[in-house]
Structures are given as structure tokens and as C-alpha cells.
Amino acid sequence: MNKTKKELAFIEYVKDECKKYGVKCSLRPSKYVKMDGNVKCSGWFDEEAPELVVAMDRPDWIEILAHEYGHLTQWVEQIPIWKKAEVSLGKVWEWLDGKNCRSIEKHIAVARDLELDNEKRAVKIIKKFELKVDLVHYVKKANAYVQFYNWMLITRKWSKPKNSPYKNKNLVEAMSSKFNMRYDTLTPKLEKIFRTENI
């Protein structure tokens, strides 16, 4: 897939930032990347390694790169929700693996709020670098992903790669194109869509 000058400039910028902060930059020629266990996803940022990973062989790679770079900025700035997430994200994954976890609602709320902050950052990054992304659609997908954390509290499972919240047309369509939704709980309408679409 040919990349535009602006996309190439953004890739170089992210690589430079990773180098500056001692982060390994893994831009992989694959459709998915595997996290711990068998969880397939499109990318991640891990502060422990530290490493930024993105599956680049997919049409939305530029959005994923902007999203994961957003997480790097959260880490660099050490924002309060990032510090809380250092504990909460581990608890969420342990809980998804079947371990009992007290206050799981609180930990999922922290993970969800971290993603909401990051999606807002990703939009700013996309605008700043003038990347060719349909922002109305991107924000709808971002809202679907943030709301997924509320659904995960009900299902106790991660989504399948082929039916992820931001890929499901009916779910994305039901989302706002602005960051103005109620994020602390699922509305009955959204819960019904998550259930019907089996996300």
C-alpha cells in the first residue's frame, strides 16, 4: 500500500519520538498482532518493555498508529489516569483470564477513561499531521471502542478480531460523531446492539 508524504512523515515522527524516549518501535507487516495469550489486536503500547506495536497491513493502520502514539504521549506526560491504569489494566486482563478481582467495575472504568482520553488525543494528532482520516467516522468508531469496556463488564470477554466494536457497522452507526456520550454506563439501546451483534 503506497503511503502519502504526510503518512511517511508521521511514521518518521513516531519513530523519532520512540527513539527519544527509549521505546522500541515495531511496525509489523501483518493484519493483527498477538498480545499475551491468544488475544489478537491491531496494536498496543506497553510501558514495561517499553514498546509501540502496530499491525501495518490493514486499511486503518494510520488510525491505529495515531492511537498507539497517543498512548505514548499519555505515558510521557504521566497523566493521572495513566498512573491509575498501571494497576487497573493488569487487573482487567487477570479478570478476563478468569481470576476473581475485587472492584473490577472501578478497574474497567479506569481502562475505559484512559481510552477515552487517548481517542481525543488521536483526533488531535490526526488533525495536527493532516492525516487523511474521515474524522466523523473515526470518532464514531472510537466511541464504539470506549463503550465496549462497559459491555466487557457484562460479558467478561474481549471481542473477536472479525467482530470488534469499531468494525461492527450497526454498532458504529449508533454512536455519536462527537465525544459527548454518556460513558459511565451502557444505555439500554446500546446494550441491545452489543447483544444482538454478539460483540
Side-chain angles (χ1 to χ4, degrees), residues 2-192:
N2 286 340
K3 293 175 176 55
T4 66
K5 273 187 182 169
K6 284 177 179 171
E7 288 171 345
L8 290 169
F10 180 56
I11 289 171
E12 285 313 306
Y13 178 81
V14 171
K15 285 180 177 174
D16 288 347
E17 287 285 284
C18 284
K19 199 183 236 177
K20 180 169 149 186
Y21 295 109
V23 173
K24 185 180 174 192
C25 188
S26 302
L27 307 181
R28 301 179 187 172
S30 57
K31 288 193 177 12
Y32 297 102
V33 284
K34 266 189 184 175
M35 283 177 81
D36 301 343
N38 280 324
V39 174
K40 281 182 176 177
C41 64
S42 50
W44 72 81
F45 173 75
D46 178 13
E47 68 175 335
E48 281 175 33
E51 186 177 24
L52 183 149
V53 180
V54 175
M56 299 291 280
D57 186 19
R58 40 188 302 140
D60 59 351
W61 69 268
I62 194 75
E63 299 172 17
I64 310 295
L65 186 57
H67 176 94
E68 299 310 336
Y69 172 66
H71 279 311
L72 185 146
T73 68
Q74 290 177 316
W75 170 66
V76 167
E77 292 168 27
Q78 286 292 297
I79 60 169
I81 193 78
W82 181 269
K83 289 181 175 178
K84 282 185 189 171
E86 286 173 355
V87 172
S88 290
L89 289 176
K91 297 285 184 194
V92 169
W93 286 106
E94 283 175 12
W95 179 74
L96 286 172
D97 283 341
K99 273 192 185 171
N100 283 337
C101 177
R102 286 174 53 204
S103 313
I104 191 61
E105 293 86 358
K106 183 190 86 173
H107 295 302
I108 284 184
V110 168
R112 180 196 63 221
D113 294 348
L114 179 81
E115 292 302 339
L116 178 58
D117 174 86
N118 193 49
E119 292 295 5
K120 291 174 181 175
R121 286 168 183 258
V123 167
K124 285 179 183 161
I125 290 161
I126 289 163
K127 286 179 178 173
K128 179 182 173 183
F129 288 90
E130 298 175 351
L131 303 172
K132 203 174 171 195
V133 172
D134 176 348
L135 282 175
V136 167
H137 191 60
Y138 181 84
V139 173
K140 281 176 165 264
K141 290 198 303 184
N143 276 324
Y145 179 55
V146 173
Q147 293 285 358
F148 169 68
Y149 279 81
N150 294 321
W151 175 240
M152 194 167 66
L153 188 58
I154 297 167
T155 64
R156 198 171 183 169
K157 63 178 200 226
W158 194 254
S159 65
K160 294 175 188 74
K162 286 190 165 62
N163 193 23
S164 61
Y166 42 85
K167 266 193 177 170
N168 186 288
K169 284 190 176 121
N170 290 334
L171 182 66
V172 171
E173 204 43 55
M175 296 295 152
S176 171
S177 59
K178 296 187 174 77
F179 291 118
N180 61 356
M181 299 182 76
R182 181 168 182 188
Y183 296 104
D184 61 339
T185 186
L186 271 185
T187 63
K189 180 189 168 195
L190 288 182
E191 187 176 328
K192 188 180 176 191

